[in-house]
Amino acid sequence: MKQKIIVGIFVLLLTLQLVDAVGIRPAKTNLIFEEGKDYSKTIWVVNNEQRDLTVSIYVEGEMKEYVSVSQKTVTLRSDDDSKEIGVEVHLPENVPAGTSTANIVFEETLDEAGSENVVSSKVVLKHKVLIEGPYPDKYVKAKLNFQEQGNLISFVSEVENLGKEEVESVKTTFYVNDKKQELQTLETEETSLGKKENKLLSTKIAKDVFEQGEFEVSAVTTYDDQKVEVVKKLLVGKPRVEMTYFDKYFIANKINQYSMDLLNKWNQQIKNVYVDVEVSKDNQKIDQFRTKSVDLDAETMKRISDYFDARDKDEGKYVFKMIVNFWNNIQMDQEEFQVELLTEDQFEEVSKGNINAAVVGKASSEGSSFSGGLIAIIIVGLLALISMIFVGYRYFTREEI
């Protein structure tokens, strides 16, 4: 484990050095679309550490088909300060309104020959090409947000007029399925929107309409006979997995099969669920292990069965401290389960349900003995009282001689 950490730190440091070794200037290019106009730009690959290196170049992103580079690779010698790369942008007649992007990627090429036992890394840098498309006369940009307010949830549509003209009428309608999978439709107020103006349109719904989980909300904003749709997930509560069962008894000094039940209380599937287990006795940690991972379907329970190694553990009471983990980044609160390790004979009796019966029988027997003793004491007392009465009677009624 320590070796992995050391290697990870080394690779990180190496990567940081590579970032310093190669530079791209400028970091981005901003283009404002003009119909019929082509664009030519120059990018510089900088050899910061003055060493030999080769860099491959390619384009990615939504506008990649309209951007080209003058060469696919560039080689720098140790005495080269930098080299220039030509960039050509030929845009179509119709460019999407707003910002569109393409990334020119510069990736160092490594010589892998003879590097089987050598830790290496490479730098990948991106030059952003941002293309601003023209907005039409009428154009509204919308964003969707949610706010919890006690027992209510506010659906908020943020609308901004980016067009060239004022919008006379704008409103947002929200569509969402509730916990019963019934469609809920909510509308905001209707208003106007001046040029460059921004407004918040909102409406509310009761929180108990939903259960714990994720709900897809569609917000359709209509403005002067046009519309724009935004879809976003509403999260109500937090994903939760509960452990509802764990075995109470095991056989000491033996490998035991255990079972635990995990309940997904979220309305979506939760992947990679596992449990970290810490075993302690008399407040001293004596063991720890991790269960295998499972995927839990929405609002369902699944049983995990595996093996607990108790070969070095004697009879007695133990505490199993458990933390459920999922999605590799969420931990539930720690839960504790009281577990007892028994002899094989005791475990067999527990399996038959006889130990609890024996305990009850013992308690009943003790109760019967106590009751019998009390009755005997009462009888003796009554006999003594009768004797005393009889003696007293004879004393006061004796005949005088």
Side-chain angles (χ1 to χ4, degrees):
M1 184 64 181
K2 291 183 179 178
Q3 290 179 340
K4 290 183 179 179
I5 294 174
I6 293 173
V7 170
I9 294 173
F10 179 76
V11 171
L12 178 61
L13 293 174
L14 180 60
T15 304
L16 291 175
Q17 291 174 350
L18 286 171
V19 172
D20 291 334
V22 182
I24 305 297
R25 298 176 185 167
K28 63 180 179 178
T29 296
N30 291 303
L31 302 176
I32 298 177
F33 173 77
E34 294 181 25
E35 189 174 352
K37 181 179 178 179
D38 294 327
Y39 305 84
S40 296
K41 297 291 179 180
T42 299
I43 301 174
W44 294 87
V45 182
V46 183
N47 189 359
N48 290 327
E49 284 196 348
Q50 299 295 301
R51 62 181 179 86
D52 297 336
L53 57 90
T54 300
V55 177
S56 62
I57 308 167
Y58 56 92
V59 184
E60 64 180 17
E62 59 183 323
M63 302 295 284
K64 66 179 181 179
E65 60 183 299
Y66 308 112
V67 179
S68 60
V69 292
S70 59
Q71 56 199 86
K72 301 297 182 181
T73 61
V74 59
T75 300
L76 294 95
R77 301 192 307 269
S78 59
D79 58 347
D80 290 329
D81 292 326
S82 61
K83 283 192 176 180
E84 66 178 44
I85 305 297
V87 179
E88 298 287 335
V89 182
H90 304 283
L91 297 175
E93 293 183 2
N94 297 314
V95 173
T99 303
S100 303
T101 62
N103 293 315
I104 302 175
V105 183
F106 297 82
E107 181 175 326
E108 183 182 15
T109 302
L110 298 178
D111 182 9
E112 298 181 354
S115 61
E116 183 178 350
N117 297 317
V118 177
V119 177
S120 59
S121 183
K122 60 184 177 181
V123 64
V124 177
L125 299 177
K126 295 184 179 182
H127 175 92
K128 281 192 172 294
V129 179
L130 305 175
I131 302 163
E132 292 292 333
Y135 291 105
D137 292 340
K138 297 281 181 87
Y139 189 89
V140 171
K141 182 179 179 180
K143 296 179 182 178
L144 174 58
N145 290 293
F146 310 106
Q147 295 177 350
E148 287 194 26
Q149 300 174 335
N151 296 324
L152 298 174
I153 299 176
S154 289
F155 289 9
V156 182
S157 174
E158 181 181 353
V159 292
E160 183 178 9
N161 184 3
L162 298 175
K164 300 173 183 177
E165 298 179 0
E166 180 179 344
V167 173
E168 296 180 4
S169 173
V170 58
K171 71 174 182 179
T172 299
T173 304
F174 302 97
Y175 302 93
V176 58
N177 286 340
D178 60 20
K179 61 185 177 184
K180 298 179 181 178
Q181 292 302 306
E182 296 177 353
L183 181 63
Q184 298 285 332
T185 303
L186 302 90
E187 287 190 354
T188 69
E189 69 277 14
E190 187 174 338
T191 185
S192 60
L193 203 59
K195 290 187 292 184
K196 306 301 181 184
E197 188 176 11
N198 181 298
K199 286 185 179 181
L200 299 178
L201 309 178
S202 66
T203 185
K204 294 180 174 64
I205 188 170
K207 189 175 179 179
D208 59 11
V209 168
F210 306 99
E211 61 187 343
Q212 299 281 312
E214 301 177 12
F215 300 86
E216 187 173 87
V217 180
S218 172
V220 179
T221 299
T222 55
Y223 59 98
D224 292 355
D225 298 326
Q226 298 188 55
K227 69 178 181 179
V228 58
E229 181 177 7
V230 179
V231 177
K232 188 175 181 179
K233 285 186 177 180
L234 165 66
L235 300 183
V236 180
K238 295 180 180 180
R240 182 166 185 83
V241 175
E242 288 187 359
M243 184 181 301
T244 60
Y245 172 81
F246 187 72
D247 293 321
K248 293 183 178 181
Y249 301 102
F250 294 109
I251 301 174
N253 300 303
K254 186 177 180 179
I255 295 177
N256 296 259
Q257 186 176 29
Y258 69 79
S259 297
M260 65 171 61
D261 291 341
L262 298 176
L263 173 63
N264 177 10
K265 304 194 75 173
W266 199 239
N267 71 345
Q268 302 291 325
Q269 184 188 57
I270 297 181
K271 292 187 175 183
N272 192 32
V273 183
Y274 60 90
V275 182
D276 285 323
V277 184
E278 180 183 301
V279 183
S280 63
K281 184 178 183 183
D282 300 328
N283 295 321
Q284 295 295 320
K285 175 183 172 182
I286 61 172
D287 197 3
Q288 66 179 24
F289 61 92
R290 173 174 289 181
T291 69
K292 60 186 178 183
S293 64
V294 295
D295 296 338
L296 299 180
D297 291 333
E299 299 176 327
T300 60
M301 182 183 297
K302 181 175 286 190
R303 172 158 290 190
I304 295 179
S305 294
D306 212 331
Y307 291 90
F308 166 53
D309 188 355
R311 287 176 295 181
D312 58 346
K313 299 173 180 63
D314 296 326
E315 299 100 295
K317 295 183 178 180
Y318 294 76
V319 176
F320 280 54
K321 300 176 181 178
M322 304 190 185
I323 298 178
V324 180
N325 303 263
F326 52 89
W327 291 340
N328 295 324
N329 58 3
I330 293 182
Q331 286 188 340
M332 296 286 91
D333 294 334
Q334 179 178 282
E335 295 186 62
E336 292 189 359
F337 288 79
Q338 305 296 321
V339 174
E340 189 168 357
L341 269 60
L342 308 171
T343 65
E344 292 198 28
D345 291 340
Q346 290 173 330
F347 186 81
E348 186 176 352
E349 291 298 314
V350 167
S351 300
K352 295 177 180 178
N354 291 340
I355 281 188
N356 288 337
V359 170
V360 172
K362 182 179 179 183
S364 300
S365 175
E366 289 174 351
S368 298
S369 298
F370 175 76
S371 300
L374 181 60
I375 292 172
I377 292 172
I378 293 173
I379 292 173
V380 171
L382 287 173
L383 290 174
L385 180 60
I386 291 171
S387 298
M388 290 175 64
I389 293 172
F390 178 74
V391 171
Y393 173 78
R394 291 292 302 270
Y395 176 80
F396 287 110
T397 60
R398 68 183 184 278
E399 296 180 359
E400 295 183 1
I401 299 175

